[in-house]
Amino acid sequence: MRSFLVSAALCVAAISSNAHGIDLYVPACPSVTSAKFASEIPDASLPCPPTQVDICYTSTTLNFVFTAYNETNYYFDPNQGTNGDIWAYEVMEAFVYKGYNDPQTYFEYEVNPNNVTYNSFVYNPSRVRKAGTPFDHAFVSDPFGDGFKVNTVLDKSKNTWASSSTIPLALFNGENPRGSIWRMNFFRTVTGPSTYPNQQLCGWKNTGAASFHITPAFGTLLFV
């Protein structure tokens, strides 16, 4: 207990010095905390379909349950597989970094209504995807062999779809994460047959731009 309190105190001190307050306290499973959002980015005055991301952890996994409400199209390309360009259609997303800084490298996880996932580390040294600067991806080529799990359920009678996702903490050198600080943001894209390829961009922490790759906007989470 003493080691956890010391670790948490150091993390809080680091956040204070880095000008980031704690947005969410993430508990061990089966308890969860939730990130909820229902507005567009960058114009937060425009509504989006409500979205919720439940978050918890075990000693070896980071667990998300993404729930999309008010869904009407469930729009995806059935020919796309793992690490395809599923982001061009409808997805829910988590950008994840272990640490308290504004990251230059982070993990991008996406899932679509067809239970297909996109799994990649992102190299974004400008932190804001600045034109003329490097921006690259390093894919996790065998996520299920590496211990990822995902299960997506569509409930068209309730206009929802939900994806339960498990990501191994070893991906972040982050096993036994109690007391650690993480930076994350969560997103949803909305489109359909009548609007594709245009998308409605929805997010938890507003990036201030029509882009998800703005890392100073990431929220701050303390694992407790």
Side-chain angles (χ1 to χ4, degrees), residues 45-205:
S45 68
L46 298 176
C48 269
T51 308
Q52 179 170 323
V53 185
D54 297 330
I55 314 157
C56 68
Y57 69 90
T58 70
S59 62
T60 59
T61 63
L62 177 60
N63 298 345
F64 296 118
V65 178
F66 302 87
T67 304
Y69 296 97
N70 295 2
E71 181 60 69
T72 56
N73 293 303
Y74 304 89
Y75 199 54
F76 58 87
D77 181 347
N79 295 316
Q80 290 181 324
T82 300
N83 295 333
D85 292 345
I86 62 173
W87 44 263
Y89 295 85
E90 290 198 308
V91 294
M92 290 184 280
E93 308 187 16
F95 287 16
V96 181
Y97 168 73
K98 182 178 180 289
Y100 58 85
N101 296 314
D102 297 337
Q104 295 172 291
T105 302
Y106 47 93
F107 188 68
E108 178 177 356
Y109 178 81
E110 305 177 7
V111 61
N112 76 3
N114 198 35
N115 203 49
V116 174
T117 62
Y118 180 98
N119 318 266
S120 178
F121 284 97
V122 178
Y123 178 59
N124 179 13
S126 74
R127 299 182 174 88
V128 294
R129 199 175 182 178
K130 184 179 179 181
T133 62
F135 183 79
D136 205 354
H137 290 76
F139 289 100
V140 176
S141 60
D142 184 18
F144 301 112
D146 292 338
F148 287 64
K149 296 178 182 178
V150 62
N151 181 56
T152 301
V153 176
L154 281 57
D155 189 341
K156 294 187 176 181
S157 68
K158 295 182 179 178
N159 297 107
T160 66
W161 61 282
S163 293
S164 299
S165 299
T166 299
I167 299 173
L169 284 170
L171 196 71
F172 311 97
N173 293 311
E175 291 190 343
N176 302 304
R178 189 182 186 198
S180 61
I181 290 292
W182 297 64
R183 302 289 305 284
M184 301 186 194
N185 212 346
F186 304 103
F187 305 102
R188 177 180 174 185
T189 59
V190 180
T191 189
S194 64
T195 56
Y196 179 84
N198 296 322
Q199 292 175 306
Q200 187 178 27
L201 306 180
C202 313
W204 178 48
K205 294 295 183 180

Side-chain angles (χ1 to χ4, degrees), residues 12-24:
V12 171
I15 285 179
S16 298
S17 66
N18 206 47
H20 293 296
I22 297 171
D23 295 292
L24 291 174

